[in-house]
């Protein structure tokens, strides 16, 4: 169990704490700040584990499987909480989560055919914007310009979600026609 894998596990462990502080009524006024801090720490573990794994050649099968799964769990949990708190429309979350299922399906088929689908820059931009969007929506600062920023982040994250999906499909369409 190397450091990148430990960081990935920490990210997964932080998810229920994030959800608790996001939704529990016991912390009026400051629960969202604790949830934001937890989300930021969890997001930074995503950045750190990948950099460390590549820099020190610590890439493992566990990491290849769990890192993207941990990311999807973190962002999906956050967006579902934002739907629950009425800060994000459910149709946006459905599109974003559907994209993750589609890409996971592509990766599963590719893996079955011994093909590795690398993460794309569009996917990385998508993840970054989704994380910034989540942070902005949790903080929910009551300021006209911040509300405009929130709206921009939501729609840029949504557009990048769709663009990255189309990019994956175009670049990897041969995966679906591969025969064993």
């Amino acid at each position: 169990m190397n450091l990148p894998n430990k960081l990935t596990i920490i990210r997964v462990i932080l998810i229920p704490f994030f959800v608790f502080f996001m939704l529990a009524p016991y912390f009026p006024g400051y629960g969202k700040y604790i949830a934001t801090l937890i989300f930021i720490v969890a997001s930074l573990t995503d950045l750190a584990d990948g950099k460390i794994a590549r820099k020190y050649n610590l890439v493992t099968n566990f990491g290849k499987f769990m890192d993207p799964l941990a990311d999807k769990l973190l962002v999906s949990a956050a967006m579902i909480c934002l739907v629950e708190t009425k800060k994000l429309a459910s149709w946006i979350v459905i599109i974003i989560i559907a994209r993750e299922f589609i890409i996971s399906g592509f990766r599963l088929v590719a893996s079955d055919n011994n093909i590795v689908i690398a993460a794309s820059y569009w996917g990385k931009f998508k993840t970054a914007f989704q994380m910034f969007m989540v942070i902005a929506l949790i903080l929910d600062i009551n300021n006209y310009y911040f509300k405009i920023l929130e709206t921009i982040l939501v729609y840029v994250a949504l557009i990048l979600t769709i663009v990255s999906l189309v990019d994956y499909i175009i670049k990897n369409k041969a995966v679906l026609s591969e025969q064993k």
Side-chain angles (χ1 to χ4, degrees), residues 79-176:
M79 289 188 298
I80 291 167
C81 288
L82 289 166
V83 169
E84 174 74 17
T85 59
K86 303 195 182 345
K87 295 177 184 172
L88 188 60
S90 59
W91 68 269
I92 292 171
V93 176
I94 291 167
I95 290 170
I96 291 171
I97 292 175
R99 181 252 185 223
E100 300 306 335
F101 276 103
I102 292 166
I103 297 304
S104 294
F106 255 84
R107 285 198 165 121
L108 185 63
V109 171
S111 173
D112 198 37
N113 290 299
N114 296 317
I115 299 169
V116 175
I117 298 179
S120 74
Y121 285 108
W122 287 113
K124 291 178 185 199
F125 290 140
K126 177 253 335 162
T127 299
F129 269 89
Q130 285 177 355
M131 289 179 173
F132 287 128
M133 171 195 76
V134 165
I135 293 166
L137 291 172
I138 294 169
L139 290 175
D140 193 30
I141 296 172
N142 195 12
N143 172 286
Y144 175 76
Y145 297 106
F146 196 81
K147 294 298 179 193
I148 291 172
L149 175 64
E150 285 178 1
T151 302
I152 290 168
L153 287 171
V154 167
Y155 286 103
V156 169
L158 182 62
I159 290 165
L160 287 173
T161 297
I162 295 165
V163 168
S164 68
L165 173 63
V166 171
D167 180 59
Y168 269 103
I169 291 171
I170 290 170
K171 287 181 179 173
N172 301 291
K173 63 184 174 207
V175 166
L176 296 179

Side-chain angles (χ1 to χ4, degrees), residues 2-11 40-59 67 71 131:
N2 61 33
L3 180 58
N5 290 344
K6 288 177 183 175
L7 290 172
T8 298
I9 290 170
I10 289 169
R11 186 162 60 257
I40 290 169
V41 168
S43 297
L44 290 174
T45 67
D46 177 35
L47 182 65
D49 67 10
K51 287 189 180 289
I52 293 167
R54 285 185 296 277
K55 182 175 181 178
Y56 296 104
N57 197 25
L58 297 173
V59 176
D67 181 60
D71 298 342
M131 289 179 173

